[in-house]
């Protein structure tokens, strides 16, 4: 028999077949280790034994009892309910089981049992539907704290703990500890095997929390340190071409003149923060070591200018650079910006999208190969194996997840360069406001440039809450702006009857899905007001054909389309300074960060911008969030408020930052734990020696198991 390892597929566990494995995969559980680290999200405490006597509807009760009547299955009813009474000496209660004929065989009058369930009413009678029931002799009094796991359809809740137990028994000894000795001793931590055992099957809730804390330490170390070790491992021995000479005296007059021409095309003066970011990047580009820098700046802070100027500089130095955008709409927009900025500079700019015609692609690829194209803008369509560059030196990813890094390896050019150059400089631009402490864990290995200032001349966006979809304010404001020659955005949370916007969430709202206005309903509404016959209106959503999307965006940006009704596809990066009013329908359906990103589409020009948050939800949470949006326009502040509101019990949407869901740690409440854990590890590394080597090795191996394969899937 093959040895079962932590990395083995779940199907190696007895009882897990392919069907169950497919279901587990939906929970992101594919390996034995995934199974072990799939933690309960809460516990049922059955140790607080209750009684039937004072139970009422809705109570969850656990109690020892005696079977009073023989189980009886009603075979005429379709659901085949099996019913019988149990009593605890004070009162009887009816137990009802659906489709569980085995119950009849298992229990008989007089049996001593243990029952747990939720009390419901059946007529005037109390009953428990599908409760847990077991012969008293078989219930271990040590196991009265029952783990509750997130479930997916088709998985039986009772199976999961059994599988997890088997997995820990078989492979628990292979778990390697990654927590430094100093913390282990101080916190009284146990072996990883024991910790996992205790988090799944605790004696009491206190033990469960202590074990969770230990596993959170482990998780944060793997995330914060493991990731860095991986990155270092990858970048060791990497050499990128130095793009810029270290003294500006080395620049020819011709280069200086061309640079002046380009900056003259900007049409504005750069903010101090933009200049600082460009300088920091320039310093990096003077070196042989590949740059690994993150530019973080709130929406509208002007990151694109920084990116394109950096590309221009690279081109002036005779090297090629690539800008990767997450969508073709954005890529096209960056292309337009670059073309304008580099007009007359003699620098050749190309755009390459998935949808680019085959014949054009062939021509573009040729220009990449022979080096004629210097500034290359595109989507991930660029990342195909058959693309070759003459002299690629810099890759910029706009609004890119942290872990898109992997994909970029595809762009690594040659392995046989005479000067030993085997890598490129990397720059990542992001508007996702990440609280500082979290950024330290996620981006700890990257240098960061922050653009805090907004360009001068921006007016504050006025945001207000509109409590009714029928309010005349909505059309009044839009009409006013349209009459002034400006354009308008309307954002909806739904595409059509059965397709919600992927960013639309339910947890803040008390408005049902059916009550949400779709883009098409919105269009109809405007049709009725006669607005759309006067002003060209288009509908835009994510799953539309790319070509169509591009066409609409192009006509919106050049001013032909006056009203754009869309889903959150416009959330990222789109720039049209002439559109200064935005209506967000069912605003309660979006997280604060999404709302802030959306709102960032307006207020980019010099005219006064208005954002209307329309919501008919009256839930307290929805109203609080609307109020915050009206009061703050600082992305960082809103992001931490967002985290606070979600509360400690709720998982922070890590996926949006490009990291897999955490299972034990909560990035908001465990932040101090995170820095403590990573500090302790770093201290061990600084001391060096065998302890450091062992720890490094352990972290590397566990990171591989816990995160590495998931990163690639993101
Ligand atoms: P983001 O950081 O969200 O990507 P953009 O780069 O799209 O922001 O810039 C937003 C808008 O601000 C664009 O229209 C851009 O031309 C303009 N802009 C950028 N920098 C400045 C500046 N220093 N002064 C005035 N306008 C600027
Ligand atoms: Mg941008």
């Amino acid at each position: 028999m093959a040895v079962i390892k932590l990395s083995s597929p779940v199907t190696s566990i007895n009882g897990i077949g392919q069907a169950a494995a497919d279901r587990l995969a939906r929970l992101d559980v594919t390996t034995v280790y995934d199974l072990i680290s799939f933690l309960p999200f809460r516990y049922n405490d059955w140790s607080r034994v209750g009684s039937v006597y004072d139970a009422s509807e809705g109570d969850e009760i656990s109690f020892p009892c005696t079977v009073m009547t023989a189980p009886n299955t009603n075979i005429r009813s379709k659901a085949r309910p099996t019913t019988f009474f149990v009593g605890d000496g004070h009162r009887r209660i009816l137990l009802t089981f659906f489709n569980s004929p085995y119950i009849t065989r298992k229990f008989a009058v007089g049996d001593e049992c243990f029952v747990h369930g939720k009390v419901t009413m059946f007529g005037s009678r109390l009953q428990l539907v599908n409760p847990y029931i077991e012969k008293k002799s078989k219930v271990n009094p040590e196991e009265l704290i029952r783990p509750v796991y997130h479930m997916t359809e088709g998985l039986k809740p009772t199976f999961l703990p059994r599988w997890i137990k088997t997995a820990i028994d078989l492979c628990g000894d292979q778990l390697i500890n990654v927590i430094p000795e100093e913390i282990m001793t101080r916190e009284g931590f146990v072996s990883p095997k024991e910790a996992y055992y205790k988090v799944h099957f605790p004696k009491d809730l206190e033990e469960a929390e202590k074990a969770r804390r230990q596993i959170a330490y482990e998780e944060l170390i793997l995330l914060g340190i493991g990731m860095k070790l991986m990155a270092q491992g990858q970048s060791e021995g990497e050499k990128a071409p130095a793009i810029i000479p270290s003294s500006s005296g080395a620049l020819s007059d011709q280069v200086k003149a061309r640079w002046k021409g380009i900056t003259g095309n900007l049409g504005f003066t750069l903010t101090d923060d933009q200049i600082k970011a460009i300088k920091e990047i320039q310093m990096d580009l003077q070196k042989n070591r590949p740059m690994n820098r993150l530019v973080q700046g709130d929406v509208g802070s002007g990151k694109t200018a920084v990116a394109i100027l950096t590309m221009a500089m690279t081109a002036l130095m005779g090297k090629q650079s690539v800008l990767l955008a997450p969508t073709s709409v954005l890529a096209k927009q960056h292309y337009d910006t670059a073309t304008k900025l580099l007009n007359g500079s003699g620098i050749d700019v190309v755009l390459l999208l998935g949808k680019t015609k085959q014949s054009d692609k062939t021509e573009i690829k040729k220009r990449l190969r022979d080096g004629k194209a210097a500034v290359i803008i595109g989507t991930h369509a660029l990342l195909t194996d058959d693309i070759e560059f003459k002299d690629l030196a810099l890759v910029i990813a706009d609004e890119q997840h942290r872990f898109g890094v992997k994909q970029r390896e595809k762009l690594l050019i040659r392995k046989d360069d005479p000067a030993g150059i085997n890598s490129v400089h990397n720059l990542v631009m992001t508007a996702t406001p990440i609280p500082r402490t979290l950024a330290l864990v996620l981006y700890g290995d990257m240098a960061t440039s922050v653009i805090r200032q907004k360009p001068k001349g921006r007016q504050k966006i006025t945001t207000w809450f509109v409590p009714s979809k029928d309010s005349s304010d909505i059309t009044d404001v839009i009409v006013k702006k349209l009459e002034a020659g400006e354009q308008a955005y309307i954002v909806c949370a739904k595409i059509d009857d059965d397709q919600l916007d992927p960013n639309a969430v339910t947890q803040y709202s008390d408005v049902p899905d059916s009550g949400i206005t779709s883009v098409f309903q919105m269009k109809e509404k405007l049709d009725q007001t006669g607005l759309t016959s006067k002003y060209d209106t288009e509908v835009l959503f994510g799953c539309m054909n790319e070509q169509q999307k591009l066409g609409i965006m192009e006509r919106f940006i050049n001013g032909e389309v006056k009203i754009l009704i869309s889903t959150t596809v416009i959330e990222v990066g789109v720039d049209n300074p002439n559109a200064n009013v935005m209506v967000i329908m069912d605003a309660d359906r979006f997280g604060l960060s999404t709302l802030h990103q959306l709102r960032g589409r307006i207020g980019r020009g010099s005219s006064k911008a208005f954002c209307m948050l329309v919501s008919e939800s009256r839930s307290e949470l929805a109203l609080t969030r609307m109020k915050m949006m009206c009061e703050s326009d600082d992305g960082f502040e809103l992001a931490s408020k967002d985290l606070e509101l979600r509360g400690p019990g709720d998982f922070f949407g890590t996926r949006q930052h490009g990291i897999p869901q955490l299972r034990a740690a909560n990035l908001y409440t465990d932040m101090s734990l995170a820095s403590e854990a990573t500090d302790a590890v770093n201290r061990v590394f600084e001391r060096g020696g065998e302890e450091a080597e062992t720890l490094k090795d352990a972290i590397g191996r566990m990171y591989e198991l816990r995160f590495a394969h998931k990163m690639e899937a993101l």
Side-chain angles (χ1 to χ4, degrees):
M1 204 183 79
V3 182
I4 299 175
K5 291 194 291 197
L6 288 168
S7 59
S8 303
V10 283
T11 45
S12 30
I13 299 293
N14 228 333
I16 305 185
Q18 197 49 54
D22 291 344
R23 291 184 180 124
L24 285 170
R26 266 185 257 146
L27 298 168
D28 219 11
V29 172
T30 56
T31 66
V32 173
Y33 182 60
D34 285 343
L35 196 59
I36 294 176
S37 58
F38 187 70
L39 303 197
F41 74 98
R42 69 180 176 90
Y43 300 88
N44 278 333
D45 184 359
W46 295 1
S47 62
R48 268 180 263 151
V49 174
S51 89
V52 190
Y53 187 69
D54 47 11
S56 50
E57 191 177 4
D59 287 352
E60 249 183 63
I61 51 172
S62 320
F63 56 98
C65 56
T66 313
V67 175
M68 310 293 288
T69 62
N72 171 41
T73 302
N74 181 353
I75 51 168
R76 261 163 298 156
S77 165
K78 209 168 148 230
R80 307 207 160 214
T82 303
T83 53
F84 57 98
F85 280 95
V86 296
D88 70 349
H90 298 285
R91 195 173 172 187
R92 284 152 47 121
I93 189 166
L94 182 70
L95 307 188
T96 304
F97 298 83
F98 291 106
N99 292 317
S100 310
Y102 63 91
I103 290 281
T104 319
R105 274 174 270 123
K106 199 167 164 191
F107 298 98
V109 175
D111 280 350
E112 297 290 320
C113 295
F114 187 87
V115 169
H116 172 92
K118 193 168 174 177
V119 179
T120 55
M121 296 300 283
F122 182 62
S124 59
R125 225 189 248 151
L126 296 183
Q127 75 163 354
L128 300 174
V129 177
N130 290 337
Y132 167 86
I133 178 164
E134 192 52 88
K135 300 251 175 70
K136 214 166 155 186
S137 57
K138 285 198 184 160
V139 175
N140 182 347
E142 294 269 281
E143 288 179 8
L144 291 179
I145 305 287
R146 298 277 163 157
V148 184
Y149 300 92
H150 281 295
M151 274 292 140
T152 183
E153 212 179 317
L155 270 188
K156 266 223 170 88
T158 48
F159 286 171
L160 211 51
R162 211 179 301 159
W163 293 335
I164 291 172
K165 201 170 200 163
T166 311
I168 298 178
D169 287 343
L170 283 173
C171 302
D173 290 324
Q174 297 169 34
L175 293 163
I176 312 169
N177 180 34
V178 297
I179 303 172
E181 218 30 70
E182 143 197 2
I183 293 184
M184 292 296 288
T185 315
R186 192 191 70 199
E187 300 280 334
F189 283 157
V190 292
S191 73
K193 179 179 182 177
E194 216 178 321
Y196 276 104
Y197 199 88
K198 285 182 167 163
V199 84
H200 289 289
F201 313 108
K203 198 164 75 248
D204 50 44
L205 293 176
E206 208 175 306
E207 184 174 277
E209 170 52 23
K210 190 166 175 200
R212 185 206 66 87
R213 198 172 139 83
Q214 173 171 352
I215 294 168
Y217 262 104
E218 175 189 283
E219 197 166 50
L220 290 166
I221 286 172
L222 292 181
L223 186 67
I225 306 274
M227 215 171 62
K228 260 171 265 184
L229 287 179
M230 290 286 282
Q232 273 166 18
Q234 276 163 13
S235 66
E236 237 162 72
E238 277 191 3
K239 206 168 159 195
I243 296 177
I244 299 173
S246 43
S247 88
S248 67
L251 293 176
S252 72
D253 288 344
Q254 193 212 3
V255 165
K256 283 182 187 158
R258 286 171 80 194
W259 177 247
K260 217 168 161 202
I262 293 166
T263 47
N265 281 349
L266 272 174
F268 49 71
T269 39
L270 294 167
T271 62
D272 291 346
D273 280 354
Q274 282 172 315
I275 292 172
K276 186 158 168 270
I278 291 174
K279 286 218 170 109
E280 285 165 349
I281 294 166
Q282 284 180 338
M283 297 287 284
D284 289 348
L285 297 184
Q286 291 173 5
K287 298 182 187 119
N288 257 167
R289 189 153 31 87
M291 167 172 73
N292 192 18
R293 182 171 289 277
L294 176 75
V295 175
Q296 226 190 337
D298 205 354
V299 278
S301 61
K303 294 183 293 294
T304 315
V306 171
I308 305 224
L309 287 174
T310 304
M311 295 178 89
M313 207 168 343
T314 307
L316 291 181
M317 293 295 124
K319 296 205 177 337
Q320 293 172 298
S321 59
V322 161
L323 173 59
L324 292 174
T327 65
S328 49
V329 167
L330 266 189
K332 174 68 171 55
Q333 186 181 290
H334 288 332
Y335 173 74
D336 293 339
T337 308
T339 317
K340 225 165 61 203
L341 200 59
L342 302 181
N343 184 26
S345 69
I347 297 172
D348 198 3
V349 186
V350 299
L351 175 68
L352 186 57
L353 306 174
K355 294 288 163 201
T356 304
K357 262 199 306 189
Q358 207 49 52
S359 54
D360 292 344
K361 259 188 198 161
T362 312
E363 163 62 21
I364 290 172
K365 282 182 195 169
K366 191 172 154 286
R367 280 156 70 200
L368 301 186
R369 218 169 25 241
D370 64 23
K372 284 216 179 66
V375 168
I376 301 123
I377 297 172
T379 56
H380 288 89
L382 267 177
L383 302 175
T384 55
D385 295 328
D386 61 338
I387 295 220
E388 283 172 64
F389 297 89
K390 176 152 186 282
D391 208 354
L392 182 67
L394 165 73
V395 175
I396 304 180
D398 185 30
E399 309 287 0
Q400 176 77 352
H401 283 327
R402 173 69 176 78
F403 293 93
V405 177
K406 268 254 157 237
Q407 288 175 302
R408 277 184 277 144
E409 274 173 19
K410 281 201 168 168
L411 282 173
L412 291 193
I413 4 137
R414 34 192 183 185
K415 310 274 177 222
D416 54 352
D417 181 82
I421 286 168
N422 56 6
S423 188
V424 294
H425 295 282
N426 287 310
L427 189 65
V428 176
M429 328 274 286
T430 180
T432 314
I434 303 164
R436 220 184 62 82
T437 36
L438 178 54
L440 275 178
V441 174
L442 296 185
Y443 299 106
D445 61 320
M446 285 186 130
T448 308
S449 299
V450 179
I451 307 184
R452 271 252 166 214
Q453 296 165 314
K454 292 264 164 77
K456 277 204 200 71
R458 291 281 166 78
Q459 297 197 37
K460 222 174 140 71
I461 302 170
T462 301
T463 303
W464 76 90
F465 170 54
V466 181
S468 158
K469 290 182 183 177
D470 300 320
S471 165
S472 57
D473 283 356
I474 302 174
T475 35
D476 286 355
V477 177
I478 294 180
V479 168
K480 221 176 187 161
K481 284 298 205 183
L482 292 172
E483 280 175 350
E486 296 182 20
Q487 295 159 277
Y489 290 103
I490 302 178
V491 181
C492 299
K494 196 153 96 177
I495 301 166
D496 54 30
D497 276 346
D498 43 36
Q499 264 195 94
L500 274 186
D501 180 284
N503 280 318
V505 290
T506 49
Q507 70 254 45
Y508 316 114
S509 174
D510 54 5
V511 177
D513 289 358
S514 59
I516 294 183
T517 308
S518 72
V519 284
F520 292 110
Q521 282 166 336
M522 196 63 217
K523 170 78 166 41
E524 253 170 55
K525 238 176 160 169
L526 292 189
D527 286 345
Q528 281 158 17
T529 63
L531 216 56
T532 50
S533 51
K534 232 167 122 189
Y535 300 101
D536 226 333
T537 304
E538 287 286 359
V539 169
L540 185 80
F541 47 88
C543 47
M544 254 164 118
N545 154 318
E546 288 290 306
Q547 215 62 359
Q548 250 178 323
K549 269 196 279 194
L550 273 178
I552 293 173
M553 277 323 293
E554 203 156 315
R555 292 196 297 120
F556 182 65
I557 286 166
N558 72 23
E560 274 173 64
V561 171
K562 300 295 180 194
I563 307 174
L564 185 66
I565 305 175
S566 85
T567 57
T568 57
V569 281
I570 54 141
E571 182 191 343
V572 177
V574 170
D575 184 31
N576 178 358
N578 191 46
N580 275 314
V581 58
M582 175 177 283
V583 177
I584 305 177
M585 302 296 287
D586 299 292
D588 51 275
R589 282 300 182 120
F590 300 111
L592 289 179
S593 298
T594 303
L595 289 172
H596 180 66
Q597 293 282 325
L598 284 169
R599 183 172 58 181
R601 300 304 110 223
I602 58 171
R604 298 179 155 240
S606 47
S607 122
K608 178 84 196 143
F610 297 99
C611 177
M612 286 178 273
L613 303 173
V614 185
S615 164
E616 296 191 339
S617 172
R618 296 293 172 268
S619 85
E620 202 184 314
L621 196 51
L623 294 173
T624 315
R625 295 168 66 260
M626 295 302 120
K627 187 160 169 268
M628 279 180 189
M629 284 301 297
C630 296
E631 285 170 357
S632 172
D633 67 347
D634 181 329
F636 287 82
E637 185 185 332
L638 285 168
S640 30
K641 287 266 168 63
D642 207 6
L643 281 176
E644 241 169 79
L645 275 184
R646 281 166 198 239
D650 193 353
F651 278 100
F652 171 41
T654 45
R655 217 160 236 285
Q656 124 198 23
H657 299 303
I659 63 167
Q661 196 71 266
L662 295 183
R663 289 177 164 160
N666 175 303
L667 285 177
Y668 178 58
T669 47
D670 291 331
M671 234 26 261
S672 58
L673 209 73
S675 36
E676 200 180 279
T678 49
D679 284 353
V681 173
N682 284 325
R683 274 197 300 275
V684 175
F685 286 178
E686 271 158 34
R687 278 199 301 270
E690 201 186 312
E691 189 192 4
E693 284 316 306
T694 314
L695 188 59
K696 227 176 240 179
D697 183 60
I699 292 175
R701 283 206 267 165
M702 292 310 283
Y703 176 85
E704 198 64 41
L705 281 167
R706 175 68 179 86
F707 287 118
H709 63 292
K710 300 201 185 291
M711 298 296 184
E712 273 165 52
L714 282 168

